[in-house]
């Protein structure tokens, strides 16, 4: 209890304050008597020491040293029977006590130290018993509200009425869960601060209070422990005095009950989430046996079979330092949980699923792909910024083409995966890659270099054996231009600045070396492909 509250009790009303009036609001956790000169070695924070000063009667100056040491050890106060063995308190001790707000009390001669100690402990015990009884009753009331199915909203409303302040419950991502009033702009302000990366809690403190600068409104935040290791947040929109134990006790009981109820809600949500994710996995893996089965299952998750969708695949970018699989998975799931609540603010309808370490967003769109540039990509960029601010992580997205029917989702899922892989090949992070079909060069680059070289050597193997380098290059150059001009001899001669008969001669030599006719479609196709491979090999 506070020292000034203790001094209001009957036994202490005759105590006289000698010095340190500024420290009367200090807390007392224990009271002890001085029975040895080295008592300071056994004192703790918030201790109230009472003494007859018998051990100090021959050296009054040592009282100053005692006061200084007790203040440094954050003791609460010193009580002395000044009329027993000590005539007066040294002026230096009084001055130090006044300067530092350390109370020195004069104990009446007729009051024994044993009475002081016993009475103090009794008062503290009575107060603690009252607090525990109150805590039990409050906890029972909150628990009964939950058990009777009245829900978290009723608990928040009751808490608001008890403490006389507006109360808001946020989830672990600072998304609004329940509020004691219908609408209050401060709720959005707190969420906005968190989304911009502001640290709203101080270390391991039981709660944190601060004032919004431009509104001058006070906010007190109490973390609520959950089994996932990330707290939810009970926010009081108003001032809570730090030393008002009764209010803090009420809030503490509310956070205890809310902790268990949020755990229960989380478990229920996990079952629903698991069913939703299993449906999507079965859909993209083509496990369902018929179109009717897909449509019937999709109705459970509010998916329309004829609705056009764009599939967006998100993946947390890997960091340079390696993490364990479990740690990476937990961090990824936590970020995807944030996305699950954040998509409710999207300017379009989104359905979220989780598959492995990837999140999949099915975005409902119209028939045109204009929405990708006008709405989807800007929204994804905002999401990337938000995740970077809050989690200090980066996320990349791959976007598919439009799927005009639910049964085509497996195809667009593959497109989104391909888009992610294309972005990763560039070595970038925090990218947004839209799927587009690969051209011939991109497809060829996927094939191992060894296989490309083997195909090229096979097609032109006659050249490397029978001809010198200069003549070989002339023939190959002529053949390449001939194929580029769609096998037009005159156009080939024009581009090479040679006579038409020279082109015919060179092409006949090529046919002789290759052992194939250039009029054969398969031959010209293989030659075109080999020349394309040559370009790729020269750039690697």
């Amino acid at each position: 209890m506070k020292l000034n509250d203790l001094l209001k009790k009957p036994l202490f009303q005759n105590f006289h304050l000698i010095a340190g009036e500024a420290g009367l609001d200090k807390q007392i956790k224990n009271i002890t008597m001085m029975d040895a000169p080295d008592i300071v070695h056994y004192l703790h924070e918030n201790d109230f020491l009472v003494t007859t000063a018998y051990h100090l009667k021959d050296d009054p100056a040592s009282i100053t040293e005692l006061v200084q040491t007790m203040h440094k050890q954050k003791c609460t106060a010193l009580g002395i029977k000044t009329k027993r063995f000590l005539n007066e308190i040294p002026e230096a001790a009084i001055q130090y006590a006044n300067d530092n707000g350390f109370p020195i009390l004069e104990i009446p001669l007729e009051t024994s130290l044993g009475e002081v100690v016993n009475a103090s402990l009794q008062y503290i015990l009575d107060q603690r018993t009252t607090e525990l009884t109150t805590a039990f009753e409050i906890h029972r009331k909150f628990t009964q509200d939950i058990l009777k199915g009245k829900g978290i909203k009723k608990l928040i409303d009751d808490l608001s009425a008890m403490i006389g302040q507006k109360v808001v419950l946020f989830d672990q991502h600072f998304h609004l869960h329940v509020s004691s009033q219908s609408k209050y702009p401060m709720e959005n302000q707190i969420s906005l601060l968190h989304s911009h990366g502001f640290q709203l809690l101080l270390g391991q403190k039981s709660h944190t209070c601060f004032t919004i600068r431009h509104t001058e409104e006070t906010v007190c935040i109490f973390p609520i422990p959950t089994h996932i290791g990330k707290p939810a947040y009970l926010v009081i929109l108003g001032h809570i005095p730090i030393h008002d134990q009764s209010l803090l006790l009420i809030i503490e009981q509310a956070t205890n009950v809310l902790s268990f109820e949020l755990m229960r809600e989380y478990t229920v949500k996990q079952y629903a989430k698991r069913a939703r994710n299993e449906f999507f996995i079965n859909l993209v893996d083509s496990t369902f046996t018929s179109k009717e089965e897909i449509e019937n299952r999709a109705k459970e998750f509010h998916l329309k079979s004829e609705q056009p969708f764009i599939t967006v695949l998100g993946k947390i970018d890997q960091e340079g330092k390696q993490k364990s699989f479990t740690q990476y998975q937990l961090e990824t799931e936590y970020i995807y949980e944030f996305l699950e609540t954040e998509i409710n603010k999207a300017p379009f309808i989104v359905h979220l699923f989780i598959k492995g370490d990837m999140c999949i967003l099915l975005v409902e769109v119209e028939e045109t792909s204009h929405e990708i540039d006008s709405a989807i990509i800007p929204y994804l960029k905002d999401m990337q910024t938000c995740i970077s601010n809050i989690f200090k992580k980066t996320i990349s997205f791959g976007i598919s083409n439009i799927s005009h029917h639910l049964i085509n989702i497996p195809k667009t899922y593959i497109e989104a995966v391909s888009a992610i892989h294309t972005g990763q090949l560039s070595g970038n992070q925090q990218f947004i890659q839209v799927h587009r079909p690969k051209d011939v060069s991109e497809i060829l680059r996927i094939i191992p270099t060894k296989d490309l070289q083997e195909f090229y050597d096979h097609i032109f193997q006659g050249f490397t054996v029978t001809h010198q380098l200069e003549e070989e290059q002339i023939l190959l150059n002529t053949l390449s231009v001939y194929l580029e001009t769609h096998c037009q001899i005159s156009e080939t001669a024009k581009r090479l600045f040679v006579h038409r008969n020279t082109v015919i001669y060179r092409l006949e030599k090529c046919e002789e070396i290759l052992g194939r006719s250039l009029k054969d479609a398969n031959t010209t196709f293989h030659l075109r492909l080999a020349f394309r491979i040559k370009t790729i090999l020269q750039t690697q």
Side-chain angles (χ1 to χ4, degrees):
M1 66 192 313
K2 291 184 179 180
L3 178 59
N4 52 11
D5 291 334
L6 181 66
L7 295 179
K8 296 175 183 177
K9 303 298 182 181
L11 182 67
F12 298 89
Q13 290 180 355
N14 293 326
F15 279 44
H16 173 63
L17 179 65
I18 299 175
E21 182 177 2
L24 289 178
D25 61 344
K26 291 182 177 180
Q27 295 283 341
I28 299 175
K29 291 186 178 179
N30 188 38
I31 184 167
T32 185
M33 289 188 293
M34 183 176 184
D35 56 359
D38 61 346
I39 186 66
V40 292
H41 301 299
Y42 303 95
L43 296 178
H44 301 90
E45 184 176 348
N46 296 122
D47 273 3
F48 178 24
L49 176 65
V50 295
T51 179
T52 61
Y54 175 78
H55 301 287
L56 309 175
K57 63 180 180 177
D58 297 327
D59 185 16
S62 61
I63 294 179
T64 303
E65 183 180 349
L66 175 63
V67 171
Q68 293 173 344
T69 305
M70 290 183 65
H71 174 69
K72 292 177 182 178
Q73 293 182 204
K74 298 182 180 181
C75 296
T76 298
L78 173 64
I80 303 178
K81 270 192 174 185
T82 58
K83 300 298 188 292
R84 183 78 169 102
F85 299 104
L86 194 68
N87 293 326
E88 61 181 10
I89 304 295
E91 186 61 32
I94 295 175
Q95 184 64 42
Y96 181 86
N98 283 326
D99 292 343
N100 294 278
F102 182 81
I104 300 178
L105 304 169
E106 181 183 11
I107 302 174
L109 187 61
E110 65 274 9
T111 303
S112 71
L113 297 186
E115 288 180 292
V116 175
V117 172
N118 291 335
S120 300
L121 294 177
Q122 186 62 50
Y123 290 140
I124 294 175
L125 180 60
D126 290 345
Q127 176 175 291
R128 185 59 61 192
T129 301
T130 301
E131 290 176 353
L132 291 175
T133 302
T134 303
F136 174 78
E137 291 299 324
I138 295 172
H139 190 280
R140 186 180 63 82
K141 173 177 173 49
F142 288 151
T143 303
Q144 287 299 318
D145 286 346
I146 295 297
L147 292 178
K148 290 179 181 178
K150 296 181 179 180
I152 291 180
K153 180 64 168 68
K154 179 65 166 58
L155 189 155
I156 295 297
D157 290 342
D158 287 347
L159 176 61
S160 177
M162 288 180 182
I163 66 176
Q165 301 284 5
K166 298 179 178 66
V167 181
V168 182
L169 177 64
F170 290 93
D171 65 11
Q172 62 268 31
H173 303 292
F174 268 99
H175 291 134
L176 179 64
H177 192 290
V178 174
S179 177
S180 63
Q181 67 281 316
S182 58
K183 187 176 182 181
Y184 193 69
M186 183 59 68
E187 302 167 5
N188 297 331
Q189 183 68 29
I190 295 172
S191 296
L192 187 63
L193 288 173
H194 180 259
S195 66
H196 282 78
F198 284 89
Q199 186 67 34
L200 301 181
L201 289 175
L202 297 177
Q204 302 297 321
K205 301 293 184 180
S206 61
H207 66 283
T208 301
C209 296
F210 57 89
T211 301
I212 305 296
R213 185 170 59 183
H214 68 278
T215 62
E216 296 185 354
E217 294 183 84
T218 301
V219 176
C220 294
I221 301 181
F222 295 78
I224 302 175
T226 63
H227 70 294
I228 61 174
K230 304 291 184 180
Y233 304 94
L234 184 69
V235 178
I236 312 299
L237 304 178
H239 177 62
I240 299 293
I242 296 177
H243 299 301
D244 192 335
Q245 293 297 324
S246 59
L247 284 180
L248 293 176
L249 186 63
I250 294 172
I251 297 171
E252 180 183 355
Q253 300 312 308
T255 58
N256 289 338
V257 177
L258 285 171
S259 178
F260 287 103
E261 179 60 12
L262 289 173
M263 291 181 190
R264 186 194 65 80
E265 283 190 357
Y266 179 81
T267 302
V268 173
K269 289 181 180 179
Q270 286 300 104
Y271 280 113
K273 186 187 300 183
R274 185 181 304 170
R276 187 169 69 248
N277 292 336
E278 287 181 357
F279 161 77
F280 182 81
I281 292 173
N282 290 332
L283 176 63
V284 298
D285 290 346
S286 301
T287 304
F288 296 117
T289 57
S290 65
K291 176 181 176 182
E292 290 73 18
E293 183 181 4
I294 294 175
E295 293 177 349
N296 290 334
R297 290 293 305 277
K299 291 178 182 178
E300 301 178 27
F301 309 104
H302 310 289
L303 293 172
K304 303 173 185 177
S305 59
E306 301 297 333
Q307 170 66 50
F309 292 99
I310 285 179
T311 302
V312 179
L313 189 146
K315 189 172 183 180
I316 303 299
D317 296 322
Q318 292 280 7
E319 298 177 339
K321 57 182 181 180
Q322 295 294 326
K323 292 186 177 181
S324 67
F325 173 79
T326 302
Q327 185 180 5
Y328 173 76
Q329 198 70 20
L330 289 174
E331 291 180 355
T332 300
E333 289 179 2
Y334 185 56
I335 295 175
Y336 291 162
E337 282 181 5
F338 167 79
L339 288 178
E340 188 172 6
T341 52
E342 192 70 16
I343 60 175
N344 295 327
K345 306 174 186 177
F348 34 73
I349 300 177
V350 186
H351 307 270
L352 184 140
F353 304 90
I354 306 297
K355 187 175 186 291
D357 61 349
M358 299 179 293
C359 66
I360 297 90
L361 307 177
L362 295 186
V363 183
E364 295 188 8
V365 296
E366 301 299 330
E367 292 294 332
T368 64
S369 60
H370 173 69
E371 292 178 74
I372 294 180
D373 295 326
S374 63
I376 297 178
I377 290 182
Y379 173 76
L380 294 178
K381 288 182 178 179
D382 291 341
M383 191 68 68
Q384 287 177 327
T385 301
C386 191
I387 290 176
S388 178
N389 289 337
I390 297 175
F391 302 100
K392 313 304 177 189
K393 304 283 185 182
T394 59
I395 185 172
S396 297
F397 293 103
I399 304 176
S400 73
N401 295 313
I402 294 179
S403 166
H404 297 282
H405 196 283
L406 188 64
I407 60 175
N408 295 326
I409 292 297
K411 177 183 177 181
T412 57
Y413 169 75
I414 294 174
E415 291 176 352
V417 172
S418 176
I420 278 282
H421 289 166
T422 300
Q424 289 174 336
L425 287 174
S426 66
N428 296 327
Q429 291 190 341
Q430 202 168 348
F431 59 81
I432 298 176
Q433 180 72 42
V434 180
H435 172 76
R436 61 180 178 83
K438 292 183 174 64
D439 61 19
V440 174
S441 296
E442 290 177 319
I443 294 174
L444 291 175
R445 290 181 188 277
I446 298 175
I447 301 174
T449 303
K450 178 182 177 181
D451 294 335
L452 294 177
Q453 186 69 54
E454 184 179 351
F455 179 84
Y456 177 81
D457 292 342
H458 172 71
I459 296 299
F460 293 111
Q461 58 182 335
F463 282 91
T464 59
V465 174
T466 62
H467 287 76
Q468 299 298 318
L469 182 61
E470 183 177 357
E471 182 182 356
E472 176 182 306
Q473 291 302 320
I474 293 174
L475 293 176
L476 288 176
N477 185 47
T478 302
L479 180 59
S480 175
V481 175
Y482 173 71
L483 294 173
E484 287 178 4
T485 59
H486 305 288
C487 302
Q488 299 294 321
I489 294 177
S490 297
E491 180 64 23
T492 303
K494 182 179 179 180
R495 291 190 183 185
L496 294 175
F497 302 102
V498 297
H499 194 273
R500 186 174 185 276
N501 291 336
T502 302
V503 173
I504 295 174
Y505 170 76
R506 291 177 181 177
L507 294 177
E508 289 176 350
K509 293 292 292 183
C510 289
E511 287 181 327
E512 181 182 339
I513 295 171
L514 294 171
R516 301 173 188 175
S517 171
L518 295 179
K519 296 180 181 179
D520 180 65
N522 285 333
T523 299
T524 56
F525 171 74
H526 289 158
L527 290 170
R528 288 174 184 271
L529 189 58
F531 279 119
R532 184 67 64 90
I533 290 174
K534 178 182 179 181
T535 302
I536 294 174
L537 293 174
Q538 289 174 344
T539 59
Q540 290 182 348

